[in-house]
Amino acid sequence: MNVQSPRVRGPTTSLPGSSGGFQPTGLAMKNSKPLTMLPLIALIFYDVSGGPFGIEDAVRAGGALLAILGFMVLPLVWSVPEALITSELATAFPENSGFVAWVTAAFGPWWGFQEGFWKWLSGVTDNAVYPVIFLTYLQQVVPVLEGGILRVVVLVGVNMGLTYLNYRGLHVVGNAAIGMTVFTLLPFIIMCLAGIPHVDPKNWFEIGDWNSIQWIPFLNVMFWNLNYWDTVSTLAGEVESPGKTFPKALGIAVVLVVLAYLLPLLIGIGVVSTSGDWTLGYFAGVADKVGGSWLAWWVVMAAAVSQLGQFQAEMSTDSYQLLGMAERGFIPEIFARRSEHGTPTMAILCSSLGIMTMASFDFLEIVQLLNIVYCMAELLEFLAFLWLRIKYPDLNRPFRVPLSTMGCIAMLTPAMLLLGLMLLLPIIQGQWEVLVFTIAAVLVGSLLYPLLQYAREQGWCQYSSMTPEDFKAHLYTLYGGSSSMEDLIIEDGSPDGGLGFPGDVEEEEEEDDAGERQNLLPQAPPR
């Protein structure tokens, strides 16, 4: 069976065991990708940060100096390595299964599914934070929203409205994210400029009583504010020229996020020295002091808009992750079905339901629950990255972290130690609800994968005709170092050079070939 080059106009034929109806047209698929540079930067910004909202608890728990040092050091230890790894692996495997493909390539489908389940669970748990924070800011204007049935109605209404916006398409979400980013950051730019004359630098070096530092809340809040760089990998199949776009977008987003945290923090602490007064929404008070009530109200409105932007970005990445997993046979095909707007309808609804389930918890409870599951998944990603570097050095990587394998190990060692610490904290502190949540996540993920594959065998659900094992077998063929896709022929289920990941293939692929090769794998059924 011949597989046409993705450079050739027209439909390609399927891989062994797949249905021709599941094949997209390569050139048409590429031209229809909705995400370009600016929308991608905005979505990354909201996936990770959304502005300096939520860092107030870090100042209250750790004090001024520790909070400032944290936002200077932790991005180097954590954010930069995670962004670099995402750049390398998202361009090597530019498809919507994202990190699921990375782990599957390294350790096989069972671990790939665990990675996907843990990340989706932590994602919807994280997304439950934003409607709660949104109402926290909104109730400053409408106090009746502090509790009762009206709060529940508004919470459900916000969730449904934003879910519908996601349904309308990534181009809508991406363009909205650009406008939200400008609206969110502009009042802080004004606040920082207006606040410079009021800053007392001595405030930055206040340490306070070391015995009163709340290390667990401090580390949880700091970690939560600087993670989730990898979630955007589940949109890789929707990005125009991912080999070029992803590294640039992630690099710009890292700088934007760090500045969006650090500059308002320096101004806020410099203007107001009392660390104990820093609670959620405190930046509105700083803005009022340096700019007046109009700026304070703008900060409040920017905080509300930021929560909506973060909700939108997180729901997009969670939903397209389910779409990618369905396309590759991990979960039923219904999650891969796209609406008339090109969006995964059932995946969006499933993510929305998960968010509503977790929205009853408060802010710190949600952060503690999601952090440990996220840490497990992130540790698995780091190990997959190193394994692929060692085992398959010739894997085509349009972007490559500019370090040797030993250099990558050195870069990731502090980050992995941080992950180990975050995993140990609930045990040390005896946080049994967190431990029960984590154990339940591990058990459910372990049982769910064989159950879903058994459902495929029994015909209980319709699946993509590509199984996870097929996906693993063809990953290197489709994303590896073959120098010419025009010469790729698949005969009787055995591609030229053998199935799976050959150990030594020349790396001569052009930068964008990896993005084009995604189109050879079976996708969702045509709309």
Side-chain angles (χ1 to χ4, degrees):
M1 177 174 53
N2 292 331
V3 179
Q4 296 180 2
S5 165
R7 300 183 183 88
V8 178
R9 185 181 301 271
T12 60
T13 48
S14 307
L15 288 170
S18 68
S19 168
F22 280 55
Q23 279 306 104
T25 55
L27 197 59
M29 187 78 172
K30 179 173 181 177
N31 290 339
S32 66
K33 292 183 179 180
L35 287 181
T36 53
M37 180 70 73
L38 284 180
L40 185 60
I41 293 171
L43 287 173
I44 296 171
F45 173 72
Y46 276 117
D47 264 326
V48 176
S49 168
F53 312 106
I55 68 174
E56 299 95 335
D57 282 320
V59 181
R60 185 177 59 174
L65 180 61
L66 202 58
I68 292 171
L69 289 176
F71 282 106
M72 288 181 172
V73 175
L74 199 57
L76 298 176
V77 172
W78 177 256
S79 299
V80 172
E82 189 182 9
L84 286 171
I85 287 176
T86 301
S87 295
E88 178 168 318
L89 293 180
T91 55
F93 302 101
E95 63 164 70
N96 292 331
S97 62
F99 34 73
V100 176
W102 313 347
V103 175
T104 299
F107 305 127
W110 190 88
W111 282 110
F113 180 86
Q114 306 312 308
E115 172 74 13
F117 178 72
W118 296 343
K119 290 303 287 285
W120 182 82
L121 182 61
S122 68
V124 296
T125 306
D126 175 62
N127 218 4
V129 169
Y130 306 124
V132 173
I133 299 179
F134 172 74
L135 288 187
T136 300
Y137 281 101
L138 197 61
Q139 71 192 32
Q140 297 181 39
V141 184
V142 188
V144 72
L145 294 177
E146 292 182 9
I149 188 65
L150 184 59
R151 180 181 177 88
V152 175
V153 170
V154 172
L155 194 65
V156 173
V158 168
N159 183 38
M160 292 177 64
L162 295 176
T163 298
Y164 176 74
L165 190 59
N166 249 274
Y167 166 78
R168 287 304 303 272
L170 265 183
H171 66 287
V172 175
V173 174
N175 291 332
I178 295 173
M180 288 178 175
T181 301
V182 174
F183 183 84
T184 299
L185 293 181
L186 195 53
F188 287 98
I189 295 173
I190 297 172
M191 187 190 80
C192 289
L193 293 174
I196 290 174
H198 303 275
V199 167
D200 183 356
K202 294 194 299 292
N203 294 348
W204 298 339
F205 301 97
E206 288 185 0
I207 299 177
D209 183 8
W210 282 94
N211 293 325
S212 65
I213 294 176
Q214 300 172 306
W215 287 102
I216 306 302
F218 174 76
L219 288 173
N220 271 318
V221 171
M222 289 295 300
F223 185 74
W224 177 73
N225 275 289
L226 288 165
N227 62 19
Y228 283 92
W229 296 95
D230 56 333
T231 55
V232 75
S233 68
T234 62
L235 301 178
E238 312 299 316
V239 174
E240 189 73 32
S241 301
K244 297 177 182 177
T245 306
F246 252 94
K248 292 179 182 178
L250 280 162
I252 294 171
V254 167
V255 175
L256 184 63
V257 166
V258 173
L259 292 179
Y261 283 143
L262 194 56
L263 294 182
L265 183 63
L266 289 170
I267 296 297
I269 291 175
V271 171
V272 183
S273 62
T274 307
S275 299
D277 293 338
W278 281 71
T279 56
L280 193 64
Y282 192 69
F283 278 113
V286 177
D288 183 58
K289 184 170 184 177
V290 303
S293 60
W294 67 272
L295 187 58
W297 278 108
W298 193 352
V299 168
V300 171
M301 294 305 297
V305 169
S306 173
Q307 308 317 308
L308 303 184
Q310 291 178 84
F311 184 101
Q312 288 289 75
E314 184 72 55
M315 176 168 278
S316 295
T317 53
D318 291 344
S319 301
Y320 277 87
Q321 177 200 328
L322 293 182
L323 178 146
M325 293 179 71
E327 288 176 344
R328 307 313 180 214
F330 287 91
I331 58 179
E333 172 270 328
I334 191 173
F335 292 101
R337 291 180 181 172
R338 297 183 185 242
S339 70
E340 61 187 85
H341 305 291
T343 50
T345 305
M346 188 56 65
I348 290 173
L349 290 175
C350 185
S351 295
S352 180
L353 181 61
I355 292 163
M356 291 304 302
T357 302
M358 301 301 300
S360 60
F361 294 89
D362 67 27
F363 173 74
L364 285 178
E365 285 177 334
I366 293 173
V367 170
Q368 290 170 350
L369 289 176
L370 71 90
N371 270 350
I372 190 166
V373 178
Y374 177 85
C375 286
M376 293 190 306
E378 204 63 29
L379 187 60
L380 192 55
E381 278 183 30
F382 287 176
L383 294 175
F385 169 79
L386 294 175
W387 179 257
L388 291 172
R389 269 295 189 100
I390 295 169
K391 187 70 173 178
Y392 308 112
D394 295 317
L395 174 67
N396 183 50
R397 295 171 171 91
F399 173 85
R400 188 181 182 94
V401 177
L403 294 171
S404 65
T405 301
M406 290 305 299
C408 290
I409 292 173
M411 175 186 74
L412 289 178
T413 296
M416 288 193 286
L417 290 174
L418 176 62
L419 288 174
L421 175 62
M422 297 299 296
L423 289 170
L424 288 174
L425 285 180
I427 300 174
I428 295 172
Q429 294 294 308
Q431 296 174 316
W432 298 111
E433 70 280 1
V434 178
L435 293 175
V436 169
F437 180 79
T438 305
I439 293 170
V442 172
L443 290 176
V444 171
S446 300
L447 296 174
L448 194 56
Y449 178 69
L451 178 62
L452 287 172
Q453 296 310 305
Y454 181 75
R456 169 201 286 275
E457 295 172 3
Q458 298 301 311
W460 296 345
C461 303
Q462 183 178 353
Y463 281 76
S464 164
S465 50
M466 171 170 274
T467 68
E469 288 74 18
D470 292 337
F471 181 47
K472 160 69 174 175
H474 289 92
L475 270 169
Y476 194 88
T477 301
L478 296 164
Y479 296 121
S482 173
S483 61
S484 175
M485 288 300 295
E486 278 88 352
D487 297 333
L488 178 61
I489 304 293
I490 298 180
E491 298 285 355
D492 298 324
S494 179
D496 187 23
L499 283 174
F501 280 68
D504 186 19
V505 181
E506 292 185 10
E507 185 179 352
E508 299 175 3
E509 192 59 62
E510 297 175 6
E511 188 174 35
D512 289 336
D513 278 357
E516 294 172 345
R517 290 183 180 195
Q518 180 214 4
N519 300 330
L520 288 174
L521 283 171
Q523 306 285 329
R527 296 191 294 274

